[in-house]
Amino acid sequence: MAALQIEQVPVLSDNYVYLIYDPDTKACACVDPAESAPVKRRLDELGWRLTHIFNTHHHNDHIGGNLPLKQAYECEIIGCANDAARISGIDVQVSEGDRFNFGSSTCKVFEVPGHTSGHIAFWFEEDQALFCGDTLFALGCGRLFEGTPSQMWDSLSKFKALPNETRVYCAHEYTQANAEFALTIEPDNQALVSRMAEIKELRAQGKPTVPSTIGLEKATNPFLRPEETGVQKTLNMVGEDTVAVFAEVRHRKDNF
C-alpha cells in the first residue's frame, strides 16, 4: 500500500485546505474547502480528480467551497452527524469512533466539540496524519464559540493520547501569534523558545509552520499543558483542577 500524498493549499488570508490522495486507488479528498477556485487549480496542476470532501465543522471558512466542488466533481461530502443540518451538501454522516475506508487507508473519526458543538477530526493511523480543523492549532486551540472548557479539554485529551509522531494538519496559519502568547505562559520552556526561533525563520521566508506533530505540541503548546507545574505557577493555580487551569489559559488567550 502506497502512502497517502498530502498537499497543502493556502486559501483566504490564513486558511489551509488539504488534499489527500491515494495513489493506489486514485481516491482524492479535500479537507475543509474554504473556497473552490484554489482547490480546482491545484487539482488540475496535480492531475487529481476529487472524490470526497471531509468537513470538520460548519464554519463558512471550512465549507464555503462544498457545493461548487460537489457540482464540479460529483464528490461525496462527509461530515458530523450531530451537525448535519449545518454542513452544506452532506452525504455521509459520521460520529465518534466511526471508521471508514478511503482508498487503501482507514480513517477514524473523533468527535471533538468545543470550538463548535459538532466538530470532528479525521485520523489516518497508518499514515500518522490528523486533520483536526480548528480544535487544535500549532501552539494553540480554537476559541470556544459553542462549547465549554470541559468539552474542549476532553477533545484535546483525545489528541494527546495519539502517538507523538502523528502529524497535525490544522486549518490555520496562526502559529507565530500563538507562540508569542505561549511564551507568556511558559517563558522558561526551552523547547518553546527554540520553536519560536524556528517559527520566525519559517515565516520570514514565507514558509508554512504547519504541520506540526503531537509530540511537539505536547512539549510546547500551553493548551495541552495545564497539568504542568510551570503553567500552573504562571497562573497562580498550582494544584488546581486541570479544566480550571485550561479555562484560564483560554481566557488569557482570548484577551491577549
Side-chain angles (χ1 to χ4, degrees), residues 134-137 139-143 152 156 221 223 246 250:
D134 287 0
T135 297
L136 176 65
F137 295 129
L139 289 171
C141 78
R143 285 180 179 266
M152 184 61 110
L156 293 172
N221 186 332
F223 295 99
F246 169 80
R250 185 63 258 177

Side-chain angles (χ1 to χ4, degrees), residues 1 7-9 16 28 36 48 53 102 105 122 124 129 134 142 149-150 160 189 202 224 244 249-250 252:
M1 183 182 77
E7 285 283 324
Q8 190 173 43
V9 183
Y16 289 128
C28 179
S36 60
W48 298 350
I53 292 174
F102 171 75
S105 297
F122 299 89
F124 291 87
D134 287 0
S150 179
K160 284 187 70 174
N189 182 334
L202 286 170
L224 296 185
V249 176
R250 185 63 258 177
R252 291 193 181 201

Side-chain angles (χ1 to χ4, degrees), residues 59-125:
H59 286 161
N60 194 57
D61 64 333
H62 293 257
I63 68 169
N66 274 20
L67 296 182
L69 290 171
K70 184 173 183 177
Q71 184 176 18
Y73 298 101
E74 298 181 348
C75 52
E76 184 176 78
I77 298 178
I78 300 175
C80 181
N82 290 338
D83 211 14
R86 298 193 288 183
I87 304 294
S88 303
I90 190 169
D91 298 299
V92 178
Q93 301 180 24
V94 292
S95 302
E96 172 70 25
D98 284 351
R99 296 177 184 268
F100 62 88
N101 293 327
F102 171 75
S104 306
S105 297
T106 301
C107 180
K108 181 178 179 179
V109 175
F110 294 109
E111 289 188 12
V112 284
H115 180 63
T116 67
S117 58
H119 202 302
I120 57 175
F122 299 89
W123 180 45
F124 291 87
E125 180 176 6

Side-chain angles (χ1 to χ4, degrees), residues 183 189-200 216 220:
L183 284 167
N189 182 334
Q190 290 307 305
L192 175 58
V193 171
S194 297
R195 189 176 180 188
M196 179 53 141
E198 294 169 2
I199 290 163
K200 285 183 175 179
L216 185 57
T220 57

Side-chain angles (χ1 to χ4, degrees), residues 5-38:
Q5 297 177 28
I6 299 170
E7 285 283 324
Q8 190 173 43
V9 183
V11 301
L12 302 178
S13 61
D14 53 26
N15 280 66
Y16 289 128
V17 174
Y18 297 101
L19 300 177
I20 311 171
Y21 182 72
D22 176 21
D24 289 339
T25 65
K26 295 184 169 49
C28 179
C30 174
V31 183
D32 286 347
E35 52 182 344
S36 60

